[in-house]
Amino acid sequence: MVVSNTVEVQTTNDRASEVKAFDDTKAGVKGLVDDGITEVPRMFHQPPDKFEKTSVPGETQFSIPVIDLEGVKQNPATRKEIVDKVLNASKKWGFFQVINHGVPVSILEEMKDRVCRFFQLDVEVKKQFYTRDNVKSVVHNCNFDLLTALSANWRDSIYCDMAPNPPKPEELPEPFRDIVVEYSDQIMSLGYLLFELMSEALGLNPDHLLKMDCAKGLGVLSHYYPACPQPELTLGSSKHTDGDFLTVLLQDHIGGLQVLHENQWIDIPPTPGALVVNIGDLLQLISNDMFISSEHRVLANSIGPRVSVASFFVTNFQPNRRLYCPIKELLSEDNPAKYREITVMDYITHYNEKGLDGTSTLQKFRI
């Protein structure tokens, strides 16, 4: 069935056959590009409504907040100003960028370079990490929801579970084996600071979110977006929210990341040395909607490859029996709990089963 001049929707059987044949190659999107394709396969075609560009009246211009962390540990007055900025950004945007965050630029650059090296390995070398078993500590594949999604995204990925139980060094891919450990340590330190600032922004003690084990788990997900011959037909990443407490994103110079703010897609421009921070669904849940987990997406691009590294603060499939619900100190008669008690495993299982289908994962857990 043809729904527009350019986008064609497959029957379920046709799509299943194409997806299986593609996945069996274990070569990912990069394999298609290396083969010299000039047209995007139908399984990657997004429905036309996925590209609708909405705007607010008057074409109001927005830009994502940028927060300078310089002096946050030394100057109480500066820290108070930063906490106020974190509060405003977390309530209104769910996204902000941080500069002077303490992670050396040399480590940021090396992490991006080494991730790129992994994806440029011979496919026979990468195949040893290619799997559909999301419980493994190292998972390489193309689209975690490839087998169930209506349309695939134009990207390949590798995920490493770095805390609380990291893989053995020999289990990590050689190109970024050393740097991902160092990078994770740096991001974990930054995460501790961010959770302190967010606790204070919520009017709680600085260690409140840390005592709730919000920083107990850390997963590092690296994406590789090859240049796309027809970027108008597909997406690098469909509209979604993040299934964690907090995400810290390292992106390269190419761009394409957008956040949905007041019904308008806003670019998050690459800023040298900066890191992007966004609120995850689980932090929205425990803050009882005081902080928002905003929908975002990545556009496909004729220029590439684009590389990004997302660090998710969540225990994912690792054992964690702790129950999470809205923080009682934030509740009142006028602000009752909006979510029921859940475990991280409850949430992650539903998130993965649902995939990036553009709907809210949190809705299932609302009271």
Side-chain angles (χ1 to χ4, degrees):
M1 178 178 66
V2 177
V3 295
S4 78
N5 290 331
T6 56
V7 181
E8 191 175 301
V9 178
Q10 295 171 277
T11 66
T12 302
N13 289 340
D14 285 347
R15 186 191 181 280
S17 297
E18 184 180 358
V19 166
K20 184 179 187 308
F22 167 77
D23 200 39
D24 285 348
T25 70
K26 300 184 179 181
V29 174
K30 185 176 185 300
L32 297 176
V33 173
D34 288 347
D35 286 342
I37 65 159
T38 57
E39 295 184 357
V40 171
R42 287 183 303 166
M43 59 180 275
F44 292 94
H45 288 197
Q46 297 284 335
D49 61 349
K50 298 291 184 183
F51 297 97
E52 287 180 359
K53 291 180 171 59
T54 53
S55 60
V56 294
E59 295 297 321
T60 306
Q61 295 300 306
F62 293 106
S63 58
I64 182 175
V66 178
I67 301 177
D68 189 345
L69 298 182
E70 185 74 40
V72 68
K73 295 180 180 179
Q74 294 80 28
N75 189 321
T78 299
R79 188 180 181 100
K80 176 65 170 62
E81 291 177 4
I82 291 172
V83 167
D84 289 343
K85 291 177 181 177
V86 167
L87 173 61
N88 184 65
S90 300
K91 288 176 68 174
K92 295 182 178 179
W93 282 85
F95 267 79
F96 54 92
Q97 295 200 73
V98 289
I99 57 174
N100 293 314
H101 43 65
V103 183
V105 172
S106 59
I107 291 180
L108 302 181
E109 294 302 314
E110 186 175 356
M111 186 64 197
K112 287 184 291 187
D113 178 63
R114 293 306 187 98
V115 165
C116 201
R117 287 193 205 180
F118 167 77
F119 285 104
Q120 291 171 348
L121 289 172
D122 185 275
V123 67
E124 293 303 320
V125 178
K126 289 186 291 184
K127 277 182 179 179
Q128 64 183 300
F129 301 103
Y130 199 96
T131 180
R132 289 285 154 203
D133 183 358
N134 291 324
V135 179
K136 287 189 173 183
S137 57
V138 179
V139 176
H140 164 46
N141 59 38
C142 175
N143 291 237
F144 76 91
D145 57 350
L146 180 72
L147 305 182
T148 56
L150 294 177
S151 302
N153 289 156
W154 194 258
R155 69 167 191 274
D156 298 327
S157 310
I158 185 163
Y159 176 84
C160 302
D161 230 339
M162 299 306 296
N165 302 306
K168 297 174 182 176
E170 61 270 20
E171 294 175 336
L172 292 165
E174 191 277 330
F176 61 77
R177 181 174 296 159
D178 296 330
I179 189 63
V180 72
V181 174
E182 187 173 4
Y183 180 77
S184 299
D185 288 345
Q186 293 279 348
I187 294 300
M188 185 64 84
S189 295
L190 174 60
Y192 270 65
L193 171 61
L194 291 171
F195 279 119
E196 286 181 357
L197 297 175
M198 288 180 172
S199 293
E200 293 173 45
L202 290 168
L204 305 168
N205 291 328
D207 61 355
H208 195 105
L209 293 175
L210 293 173
K211 284 185 174 179
M212 291 181 69
D213 289 339
C214 292
K216 180 179 181 179
L218 183 68
V220 177
L221 178 64
S222 302
H223 290 311
Y224 184 90
Y225 303 85
C228 182
Q230 295 173 299
E232 71 279 5
L233 296 184
T234 188
L235 287 167
S237 185
S238 303
K239 180 179 72 172
H240 66 285
T241 57
D242 285 352
D244 61 352
F245 292 101
L246 194 70
T247 305
V248 177
L249 178 78
L250 168 63
Q251 59 173 342
D252 69 9
H253 62 286
I254 290 178
L257 175 63
Q258 296 182 322
V259 59
L260 190 60
H261 179 70
E262 296 190 9
N263 205 35
Q264 185 175 8
W265 285 109
I266 308 297
D267 291 325
I268 302 181
T271 303
L275 290 164
V276 179
V277 178
N278 65 278
I279 307 298
D281 285 357
L282 292 171
L283 188 49
Q284 176 171 328
L285 184 151
I286 63 175
S287 72
N288 208 42
D289 290 349
M290 186 169 176
F291 290 170
I292 60 169
S293 175
S294 293
E295 293 177 318
H296 50 286
R297 69 181 184 183
V298 178
L299 300 179
N301 201 316
S302 59
I303 302 169
R306 175 184 185 264
V307 170
S308 69
V309 182
S311 298
F312 299 108
F313 283 91
V314 67
T315 49
N316 227 345
F317 290 108
Q318 299 206 26
N320 181 3
R321 294 183 179 178
R322 189 178 193 118
L323 291 170
Y324 288 95
C325 60
I327 297 168
K328 66 178 187 300
E329 287 86 347
L330 304 180
L331 305 180
S332 65
E333 283 189 20
D334 296 330
N335 184 34
K338 298 174 182 176
Y339 299 94
R340 58 183 172 85
E341 242 180 8
I342 64 168
T343 65
V344 171
M345 187 76 81
D346 292 334
Y347 179 86
I348 294 297
T349 299
H350 179 55
Y351 186 94
N352 281 7
E353 288 175 351
K354 187 181 73 65
L356 304 187
D357 64 356
T359 65
S360 169
T361 308
L362 279 176
Q363 198 59 40
K364 176 181 173 67
F365 305 105
R366 283 190 179 274
I367 293 174

